[in-house]
Amino acid sequence: MTLMEHLSVVKETRSDTHRQYDLIDVIFLVISAIMAGAEGWQDIETYGNAKIKWLRTYRPFLSGIPCRHTIAR
């Protein structure tokens, strides 16, 4: 089973209100950034902004990269 297949079974529990970023996009961003050495929310946001083109080869990231506060939530 691929990483994306594993992530696709994660249950969405967030409220529909203010849900701008796809949950799987956010989880994929966090996993990728941590594997690349990110150590905090700011590092994850910075990584995402630097690697958006690469990230989009795997996921759409239609709303772009979330800010560090959104990632932390």
Side-chain angles (χ1 to χ4, degrees):
M1 213 170 177
T2 68
L3 175 60
M4 292 307 161
E5 290 170 334
H6 281 286
L7 294 179
S8 70
V9 299
V10 174
K11 183 179 177 184
E12 176 63 80
T13 59
R14 300 177 298 169
S15 166
D16 289 339
T17 309
H18 306 296
R19 189 188 309 168
Q20 180 179 356
Y21 300 96
D22 183 83
L23 180 62
I24 305 305
D25 288 355
V26 176
I27 295 171
F28 178 61
L29 167 63
V30 170
I31 291 171
S32 299
I34 290 171
M35 289 178 62
E39 295 183 355
W41 308 123
Q42 180 65 49
D43 286 353
I44 295 169
E45 179 184 5
T46 301
Y47 173 87
N49 288 321
K51 300 292 186 179
I52 187 68
K53 186 175 179 181
W54 177 82
L55 291 165
R56 283 186 169 146
T57 64
Y58 297 97
R59 296 288 307 164
F61 287 88
L62 297 176
S63 296
I65 299 298
C67 73
R68 65 184 181 274
H69 302 293
T70 301
I71 297 166
R73 262 193 316 271

Coordinates of all heavy atoms in Angstrom, one line a residue:
M1 N 0.8 -1.2 0.0 CA 0.0 0.0 0.0 C 0.9 1.3 0.0 O 1.9 1.3 0.7 CB -0.9 0.0 1.3 CG -2.2 0.6 1.1 SD -3.2 0.2 2.6 CE -4.6 1.1 2.1
T2 N 0.6 2.2 -0.8 CA 1.4 3.5 -0.9 C 1.0 4.4 0.2 O -0.1 4.3 0.9 CB 1.1 4.2 -2.2 OG1 -0.2 4.7 -2.2 CG2 1.4 3.3 -3.4
L3 N 1.8 5.4 0.4 CA 1.5 6.4 1.5 C 0.2 7.1 1.2 O -0.6 7.3 2.1 CB 2.7 7.5 1.5 CG 2.4 8.6 2.4 CD1 2.3 8.2 3.9 CD2 3.6 9.6 2.3
M4 N -0.1 7.4 -0.1 CA -1.3 8.1 -0.4 C -2.5 7.2 -0.1 O -3.6 7.7 0.3 CB -1.3 8.6 -1.9 CG -0.3 9.7 -2.2 SD -0.5 11.1 -1.1 CE 1.0 11.8 -1.3
E5 N -2.4 5.9 -0.4 CA -3.5 5.0 -0.1 C -3.7 5.0 1.4 O -4.9 4.9 1.9 CB -3.2 3.6 -0.6 CG -3.2 3.5 -2.1 CD -2.7 2.2 -2.7 OE1 -1.9 1.6 -2.0 OE2 -3.1 1.9 -3.8
H6 N -2.7 5.0 2.2 CA -2.8 5.0 3.7 C -3.5 6.3 4.1 O -4.4 6.3 5.0 CB -1.4 4.8 4.4 CG -0.9 3.4 4.4 ND1 -1.4 2.5 5.2 CD2 0.0 2.8 3.7 CE1 -0.8 1.3 5.0 NE2 0.1 1.5 4.1
L7 N -3.0 7.4 3.6 CA -3.6 8.7 4.0 C -5.1 8.8 3.6 O -5.8 9.5 4.3 CB -2.8 9.8 3.4 CG -1.3 10.0 3.9 CD1 -0.6 11.1 3.2 CD2 -1.3 10.2 5.4
S8 N -5.5 8.2 2.5 CA -6.8 8.3 2.0 C -7.9 7.7 3.0 O -9.0 8.0 2.9 CB -7.0 7.7 0.6 OG -6.9 6.3 0.7
V9 N -7.4 6.9 3.9 CA -8.4 6.3 4.8 C -8.5 7.1 6.1 O -9.3 6.7 7.0 CB -8.0 4.8 5.2 CG1 -8.0 3.9 3.9 CG2 -6.7 4.7 5.9
V10 N -7.7 8.2 6.2 CA -7.9 9.0 7.4 C -9.2 9.7 7.4 O -9.6 10.3 6.4 CB -6.7 10.1 7.4 CG1 -7.0 11.1 8.6 CG2 -5.4 9.4 7.5
K11 N -9.9 9.6 8.5 CA -11.3 10.1 8.6 C -11.2 11.6 8.8 O -10.5 12.1 9.7 CB -12.0 9.4 9.7 CG -13.5 9.9 9.9 CD -14.2 9.1 11.0 CE -15.6 9.7 11.1 NZ -16.3 9.1 12.2
E12 N -12.0 12.4 8.0 CA -12.1 13.8 8.2 C -13.1 14.1 9.3 O -14.2 13.8 9.3 CB -12.6 14.4 6.8 CG -12.9 15.9 6.9 CD -11.6 16.7 7.1 OE1 -10.9 16.9 6.1 OE2 -11.4 17.1 8.2
T13 N -12.5 14.8 10.3 CA -13.4 15.1 11.5 C -13.5 16.6 11.7 O -14.2 17.0 12.6 CB -12.8 14.5 12.8 OG1 -11.5 15.0 13.0 CG2 -12.8 13.0 12.7
R14 N -12.9 17.4 10.8 CA -13.0 18.8 10.9 C -14.4 19.3 10.5 O -15.0 18.7 9.6 CB -11.9 19.5 10.1 CG -10.5 19.2 10.5 CD -9.5 19.8 9.6 NE -9.7 19.3 8.2 CZ -9.1 19.9 7.1 NH1 -8.3 20.9 7.3 NH2 -9.3 19.4 5.9
S15 N -14.8 20.4 11.1 CA -16.0 21.1 10.7 C -16.0 21.6 9.3 O -14.9 22.0 8.8 CB -16.3 22.2 11.6 OG -17.3 23.1 11.1
D16 N -17.1 21.6 8.6 CA -17.1 22.1 7.2 C -16.8 23.6 7.1 O -16.3 24.1 6.1 CB -18.5 21.8 6.5 CG -18.6 20.4 6.2 OD1 -17.6 19.6 6.1 OD2 -19.8 19.9 6.1
T17 N -17.1 24.3 8.2 CA -16.9 25.7 8.3 C -15.4 26.0 8.3 O -14.6 25.4 9.1 CB -17.5 26.3 9.6 OG1 -18.9 25.9 9.6 CG2 -17.5 27.8 9.6
H18 N -15.0 26.9 7.5 CA -13.6 27.4 7.4 C -12.6 26.3 7.0 O -11.4 26.4 7.3 CB -13.1 28.0 8.7 CG -14.0 29.1 9.2 ND1 -14.2 30.3 8.5 CD2 -14.8 29.2 10.3 CE1 -15.0 31.0 9.2 NE2 -15.4 30.4 10.2
R19 N -13.0 25.2 6.4 CA -12.1 24.1 5.9 C -11.6 24.5 4.6 O -12.2 24.2 3.5 CB -12.9 22.8 5.8 CG -11.9 21.7 5.6 CD -12.6 20.3 5.3 NE -13.6 20.0 6.3 CZ -14.5 19.0 6.1 NH1 -14.4 18.3 5.0 NH2 -15.4 18.7 7.0
Q20 N -10.4 25.2 4.5 CA -9.9 25.6 3.3 C -8.9 24.7 2.7 O -8.8 24.6 1.5 CB -9.2 27.0 3.5 CG -8.5 27.6 2.3 CD -7.9 28.9 2.6 OE1 -8.0 29.5 3.7 NE2 -7.2 29.5 1.6
Y21 N -8.1 24.0 3.5 CA -7.1 23.1 3.0 C -7.5 21.6 3.1 O -8.1 21.2 4.2 CB -5.8 23.3 3.8 CG -5.3 24.7 3.7 CD1 -5.6 25.7 4.7 CD2 -4.6 25.1 2.6 CE1 -5.2 27.0 4.5 CE2 -4.1 26.4 2.5 CZ -4.4 27.3 3.4 OH -4.0 28.6 3.3
D22 N -7.2 20.8 2.1 CA -7.5 19.4 2.1 C -6.7 18.7 3.2 O -5.5 19.0 3.3 CB -7.2 18.8 0.7 CG -7.6 17.4 0.7 OD1 -8.8 17.1 0.4 OD2 -6.7 16.5 0.9
L23 N -7.3 17.9 4.0 CA -6.6 17.2 5.1 C -5.4 16.4 4.6 O -4.4 16.4 5.2 CB -7.6 16.4 5.9 CG -7.0 15.7 7.1 CD1 -6.4 16.6 8.1 CD2 -8.1 14.8 7.8
I24 N -5.6 15.7 3.6 CA -4.6 14.8 3.1 C -3.4 15.6 2.6 O -2.2 15.3 2.8 CB -5.1 13.9 1.9 CG1 -6.3 13.1 2.4 CG2 -4.0 13.0 1.4 CD1 -6.1 12.3 3.7
D25 N -3.7 16.8 2.0 CA -2.6 17.7 1.6 C -1.8 18.1 2.8 O -0.5 18.1 2.7 CB -3.1 19.0 0.9 CG -3.7 18.7 -0.5 OD1 -3.6 17.6 -1.0 OD2 -4.3 19.7 -1.1
V26 N -2.4 18.5 3.9 CA -1.7 19.0 5.1 C -0.9 17.9 5.7 O 0.2 18.1 6.0 CB -2.7 19.6 6.1 CG1 -2.0 20.0 7.4 CG2 -3.5 20.8 5.5
I27 N -1.5 16.7 5.8 CA -0.8 15.6 6.4 C 0.5 15.2 5.5 O 1.6 15.0 6.0 CB -1.7 14.3 6.6 CG1 -2.7 14.6 7.6 CG2 -0.9 13.1 7.0 CD1 -3.8 13.6 7.7
F28 N 0.3 15.2 4.2 CA 1.4 14.9 3.3 C 2.5 15.9 3.4 O 3.7 15.6 3.5 CB 0.9 14.8 1.8 CG 2.0 14.5 0.8 CD1 2.7 13.4 0.9 CD2 2.3 15.5 -0.2 CE1 3.8 13.1 0.0 CE2 3.3 15.2 -1.1 CZ 4.0 14.1 -1.0
L29 N 2.1 17.2 3.5 CA 3.1 18.3 3.7 C 3.9 18.1 5.0 O 5.1 18.2 5.0 CB 2.3 19.6 3.8 CG 3.2 20.8 4.3 CD1 4.3 21.1 3.4 CD2 2.3 22.1 4.4
V30 N 3.2 17.8 6.1 CA 3.8 17.6 7.4 C 4.8 16.4 7.3 O 6.0 16.5 7.8 CB 2.8 17.4 8.5 CG1 3.5 17.0 9.8 CG2 2.0 18.7 8.7
I31 N 4.4 15.3 6.8 CA 5.2 14.1 6.7 C 6.5 14.4 5.9 O 7.6 14.1 6.2 CB 4.5 12.9 6.2 CG1 3.4 12.4 7.2 CG2 5.4 11.8 5.8 CD1 2.5 11.4 6.7
S32 N 6.3 15.0 4.7 CA 7.4 15.3 3.8 C 8.4 16.3 4.5 O 9.6 16.1 4.4 CB 6.8 16.0 2.5 OG 6.0 15.1 1.9
A33 N 7.9 17.3 5.1 CA 8.7 18.3 5.7 C 9.5 17.7 6.9 O 10.7 18.0 7.0 CB 7.9 19.5 6.2
I34 N 8.9 16.9 7.7 CA 9.6 16.3 8.8 C 10.7 15.3 8.3 O 11.8 15.3 8.8 CB 8.6 15.6 9.8 CG1 7.8 16.6 10.5 CG2 9.3 14.6 10.7 CD1 6.6 16.0 11.3
M35 N 10.4 14.6 7.3 CA 11.4 13.7 6.7 C 12.6 14.5 6.1 O 13.7 13.9 6.0 CB 10.7 12.8 5.6 CG 9.8 11.8 6.2 SD 9.0 10.7 5.0 CE 10.4 9.9 4.2
A36 N 12.3 15.7 5.7 CA 13.4 16.6 5.2 C 14.1 17.3 6.3 O 15.0 18.1 6.0 CB 12.8 17.5 4.2
G37 N 13.7 17.2 7.5 CA 14.4 17.8 8.6 C 13.7 18.9 9.3 O 14.3 19.6 10.2
A38 N 12.5 19.2 9.0 CA 11.7 20.3 9.6 C 11.5 19.9 11.1 O 11.3 18.8 11.4 CB 10.4 20.5 8.9
E39 N 11.6 21.0 11.9 CA 11.5 20.7 13.4 C 10.4 21.5 14.0 O 10.3 21.5 15.3 CB 12.9 21.1 14.0 CG 14.0 20.1 13.6 CD 15.3 20.4 14.3 OE1 15.4 21.4 15.1 OE2 16.2 19.6 14.1
G40 N 9.6 22.2 13.3 CA 8.5 23.0 13.9 C 7.6 23.5 12.8 O 7.8 23.3 11.6
W41 N 6.5 24.1 13.3 CA 5.5 24.6 12.4 C 6.0 25.6 11.3 O 5.6 25.5 10.2 CB 4.3 25.2 13.1 CG 3.8 24.3 14.2 CD1 3.7 24.6 15.6 CD2 3.2 23.0 14.1 NE1 3.1 23.6 16.2 CE2 2.9 22.6 15.4 CE3 3.1 22.1 13.0 CZ2 2.3 21.3 15.6 CZ3 2.5 20.9 13.3 CH2 2.1 20.5 14.5
Q42 N 6.9 26.5 11.8 CA 7.4 27.4 10.8 C 8.3 26.7 9.8 O 8.2 27.1 8.6 CB 8.3 28.5 11.6 CG 8.9 29.5 10.7 CD 7.9 30.4 10.0 OE1 7.0 30.9 10.6 NE2 8.0 30.6 8.7
D43 N 9.1 25.8 10.2 CA 9.9 25.0 9.3 C 9.0 24.3 8.2 O 9.4 24.2 7.0 CB 10.7 23.9 10.0 CG 11.9 24.5 10.7 OD1 12.2 25.7 10.6 OD2 12.5 23.7 11.5
I44 N 7.9 23.7 8.7 CA 7.0 23.0 7.8 C 6.4 24.0 6.7 O 6.4 23.7 5.5 CB 5.9 22.3 8.5 CG1 6.5 21.2 9.4 CG2 4.8 21.7 7.6 CD1 5.6 20.6 10.4
E45 N 6.0 25.2 7.2 CA 5.5 26.2 6.3 C 6.5 26.6 5.3 O 6.3 26.7 4.1 CB 4.9 27.4 7.0 CG 4.4 28.5 6.1 CD 4.0 29.7 6.9 OE1 4.2 29.8 8.1 OE2 3.5 30.6 6.2
T46 N 7.7 26.9 5.7 CA 8.8 27.3 4.9 C 9.2 26.2 3.9 O 9.3 26.5 2.7 CB 10.1 27.6 5.7 OG1 9.8 28.6 6.7 CG2 11.3 28.0 4.9
Y47 N 9.2 25.0 4.3 CA 9.5 23.8 3.4 C 8.4 23.8 2.3 O 8.7 23.6 1.1 CB 9.5 22.5 4.2 CG 9.6 21.3 3.3 CD1 10.8 20.8 2.9 CD2 8.4 20.6 2.9 CE1 10.8 19.7 2.1 CE2 8.5 19.5 2.1 CZ 9.7 19.0 1.7 OH 9.7 17.9 0.9
G48 N 7.1 23.9 2.7 CA 6.0 23.8 1.8 C 6.1 24.9 0.7 O 5.9 24.6 -0.5
N49 N 6.4 26.1 1.1 CA 6.5 27.2 0.2 C 7.7 27.0 -0.8 O 7.6 27.3 -2.0 CB 6.6 28.5 0.9 CG 5.3 29.0 1.5 OD1 4.3 28.8 1.0 ND2 5.4 29.5 2.7
A50 N 8.8 26.4 -0.3 CA 9.9 26.2 -1.1 C 9.7 25.0 -2.1 O 10.3 24.9 -3.2 CB 11.2 25.9 -0.2
K51 N 8.9 24.0 -1.7 CA 8.8 22.8 -2.4 C 7.4 22.6 -3.0 O 7.0 21.5 -3.4 CB 9.1 21.6 -1.5 CG 10.5 21.6 -0.9 CD 11.5 21.3 -2.0 CE 12.9 21.2 -1.4 NZ 13.9 21.0 -2.4
I52 N 6.6 23.7 -3.2 CA 5.3 23.6 -3.7 C 5.2 22.9 -5.0 O 4.3 22.0 -5.2 CB 4.5 24.9 -3.7 CG1 3.0 24.8 -4.0 CG2 5.2 25.9 -4.6 CD1 2.2 24.1 -3.0
K53 N 6.1 23.1 -5.9 CA 6.0 22.5 -7.2 C 6.2 21.0 -7.1 O 5.4 20.2 -7.7 CB 7.1 23.1 -8.1 CG 7.1 22.6 -9.5 CD 8.1 23.2 -10.4 CE 8.1 22.7 -11.8 NZ 9.1 23.4 -12.7
W54 N 7.1 20.5 -6.3 CA 7.3 19.1 -6.1 C 6.1 18.5 -5.3 O 5.6 17.4 -5.7 CB 8.6 18.8 -5.2 CG 8.8 17.4 -4.9 CD1 9.3 16.5 -5.8 CD2 8.4 16.7 -3.7 NE1 9.3 15.2 -5.1 CE2 8.8 15.3 -3.9 CE3 7.8 17.1 -2.5 CZ2 8.5 14.4 -2.9 CZ3 7.6 16.1 -1.6 CH2 7.9 14.8 -1.8
L55 N 5.6 19.1 -4.3 CA 4.5 18.6 -3.6 C 3.3 18.4 -4.5 O 2.5 17.5 -4.4 CB 4.1 19.6 -2.5 CG 5.1 19.7 -1.3 CD1 4.8 20.9 -0.4 CD2 5.0 18.4 -0.5
R56 N 3.1 19.3 -5.5 CA 2.0 19.3 -6.4 C 2.1 18.1 -7.4 O 1.2 17.8 -8.1 CB 1.8 20.6 -7.1 CG 1.1 21.6 -6.2 CD 0.8 22.9 -6.9 NE -0.1 23.7 -6.1 CZ -0.1 25.0 -6.1 NH1 0.8 25.7 -6.9 NH2 -0.9 25.7 -5.3
T57 N 3.2 17.5 -7.5 CA 3.3 16.3 -8.3 C 2.6 15.1 -7.7 O 2.3 14.1 -8.4 CB 4.8 15.9 -8.7 OG1 5.5 15.6 -7.4 CG2 5.5 17.0 -9.4
Y58 N 2.3 15.2 -6.4 CA 1.7 14.1 -5.7 C 0.2 14.5 -5.2 O -0.6 13.6 -5.1 CB 2.5 13.7 -4.5 CG 3.8 13.2 -4.9 CD1 5.0 14.0 -4.9 CD2 3.9 11.9 -5.3 CE1 6.2 13.5 -5.3 CE2 5.2 11.3 -5.7 CZ 6.3 12.2 -5.7 OH 7.5 11.7 -6.1
R59 N 0.0 15.8 -4.9 CA -1.3 16.3 -4.4 C -1.6 17.6 -5.0 O -0.6 18.3 -5.4 CB -1.2 16.4 -2.9 CG -1.0 15.1 -2.1 CD -2.2 14.2 -2.1 NE -3.4 15.0 -1.6 CZ -4.6 14.5 -1.8 NH1 -4.8 13.4 -2.4 NH2 -5.6 15.3 -1.3
P60 N -2.8 18.0 -5.1 CA -3.2 19.2 -5.8 C -2.8 20.5 -5.1 O -2.5 21.5 -5.7 CB -4.7 19.1 -6.0 CG -5.2 18.2 -5.1 CD -4.0 17.2 -4.8
F61 N -2.9 20.6 -3.8 CA -2.7 21.8 -3.0 C -3.4 23.0 -3.6 O -2.8 24.0 -3.9 CB -1.2 22.1 -2.8 CG -0.5 21.1 -1.9 CD1 0.0 19.9 -2.3 CD2 -0.4 21.4 -0.5 CE1 0.6 19.0 -1.4 CE2 0.2 20.6 0.4 CZ 0.7 19.4 -0.1
L62 N -4.7 22.8 -3.9 CA -5.5 23.8 -4.6 C -5.5 25.2 -3.9 O -5.5 26.2 -4.5 CB -6.9 23.3 -4.7 CG -7.1 22.1 -5.6 CD1 -8.5 21.6 -5.6 CD2 -6.6 22.4 -7.0
S63 N -5.4 25.1 -2.5 CA -5.4 26.4 -1.8 C -4.0 26.8 -1.4 O -3.8 27.7 -0.6 CB -6.2 26.2 -0.5 OG -7.6 26.0 -0.9
G64 N -3.0 26.2 -1.9 CA -1.6 26.5 -1.6 C -1.1 25.9 -0.3 O -1.7 24.9 0.1
I65 N -0.1 26.5 0.3 CA 0.4 26.0 1.5 C -0.2 26.7 2.7 O -0.2 27.9 2.7 CB 2.0 26.2 1.6 CG1 2.6 25.4 0.4 CG2 2.6 25.7 2.9 CD1 2.4 23.9 0.4
P66 N -0.7 26.0 3.7 CA -1.3 26.7 4.8 C -0.2 27.4 5.7 O 0.9 26.9 5.7 CB -2.0 25.5 5.6 CG -1.3 24.3 5.2 CD -0.8 24.5 3.8
C67 N -0.6 28.4 6.4 CA 0.3 29.1 7.3 C 0.6 28.2 8.5 O -0.1 27.2 8.8 CB -0.2 30.4 7.8 SG -1.6 30.3 9.0
R68 N 1.6 28.5 9.2 CA 2.1 27.7 10.4 C 1.0 27.5 11.4 O 0.9 26.5 12.1 CB 3.3 28.2 11.0 CG 3.2 29.6 11.6 CD 4.6 30.1 12.1 NE 4.4 31.4 12.7 CZ 4.5 32.5 12.1 NH1 4.6 32.5 10.8 NH2 4.4 33.7 12.7
H69 N 0.1 28.5 11.6 CA -0.9 28.4 12.6 C -2.0 27.4 12.2 O -2.5 26.6 13.0 CB -1.6 29.8 12.8 CG -0.6 30.8 13.3 ND1 0.0 30.8 14.5 CD2 -0.1 31.9 12.6 CE1 0.8 31.8 14.6 NE2 0.8 32.5 13.5
T70 N -2.3 27.4 10.9 CA -3.2 26.4 10.4 C -2.7 25.0 10.5 O -3.4 24.0 10.9 CB -3.6 26.7 8.9 OG1 -4.2 28.0 8.9 CG2 -4.6 25.7 8.3
I71 N -1.4 24.8 10.2 CA -0.8 23.5 10.2 C -0.8 23.0 11.7 O -1.1 21.8 11.9 CB 0.7 23.6 9.7 CG1 0.7 23.9 8.2 CG2 1.4 22.2 10.0 CD1 2.1 24.3 7.7
A72 N -0.5 23.9 12.6 CA -0.5 23.5 14.0 C -1.9 23.1 14.5 O -2.0 22.2 15.3 CB 0.0 24.6 14.9
R73 N -2.9 23.7 14.0 CA -4.3 23.4 14.4 C -4.6 22.0 13.9 O -5.3 21.2 14.5 CB -5.3 24.4 13.9 CG -5.7 25.4 14.8 CD -6.9 26.2 14.3 NE -6.9 26.6 12.9 CZ -6.4 27.7 12.5 NH1 -5.8 28.6 13.3 NH2 -6.4 28.0 11.2

